[in-house]
Amino acid sequence: LEDTGGDGVFSAPPVPTAALRLIATALEQEEEAAAAAEEREAAEEKEEEIRACLDTLIVAKDEEEEEAAGPDGGGGGAALGACSLSELAEVITGANFLAANAAVALASRELDRRLEGKGVGELREALGAAADLSEAEAAAALA
């Protein structure tokens, strides 16, 4: 482009259609590979977050067992306080899939603790749920 001053025409060698198709295919595959790599990276990050919560659950379970043996009798689920509600839901789902019943119980108790006593509006806000019923539907549901 510099040789033409930006305005001129320059010649290019003839490129067969088959070669152009191969170039396009190669570029598409490269884009797909890059997107797949990004998805893998995001999944690995999410897995690390879940592992951190599960590690917290293990520590909490150990603490719960120690406290149950002692005079305090407190709950180890409080160690999950650093997890967001969405992370708690993922921990519950993952622990349920893994049949880790103690982890399900701990995370469920923490979720229950956070949602206890909240009204409908507060629950919607905490869970990120929109009020998607019309006034008539809401009245019928509460009747």
Side-chain angles (χ1 to χ4, degrees):
L1 289 176
E2 289 81 19
D3 292 342
T4 65
D7 295 334
V9 177
F10 61 96
S11 63
V15 180
T17 303
L20 290 173
R21 285 191 180 114
L22 286 172
I23 291 168
T25 301
L27 291 174
E28 286 173 6
Q29 289 173 346
E30 179 63 25
E31 287 178 11
E32 290 170 2
E38 286 179 20
E39 288 177 15
R40 274 192 308 277
E41 186 176 314
E44 288 170 359
E45 288 174 10
K46 187 53 95 174
E47 182 180 349
E48 287 176 25
E49 290 174 9
I50 292 171
R51 284 185 190 277
C53 282
L54 286 174
D55 288 344
T56 303
L57 281 172
I58 292 167
V59 169
K61 179 63 177 161
D62 292 344
E63 289 173 359
E64 183 178 79
E65 289 172 355
E66 289 173 12
E67 290 175 5
D72 298 322
L80 292 171
C83 294
S84 69
L85 289 178
S86 62
E87 288 172 328
L88 280 173
E90 290 171 345
V91 167
I92 292 168
T93 301
N96 185 56
F97 176 77
L98 296 170
N101 296 333
V104 171
L106 283 168
S108 296
R109 277 195 297 254
E110 175 63 17
L111 182 64
D112 180 55
R113 183 191 67 75
R114 291 191 197 179
L115 300 179
E116 183 179 8
K118 293 198 182 314
V120 174
E122 292 171 310
L123 286 171
R124 275 198 195 111
E125 183 179 333
L127 300 173
D132 57 352
L133 296 178
S134 68
E135 288 185 29
E137 291 171 324
L142 295 173

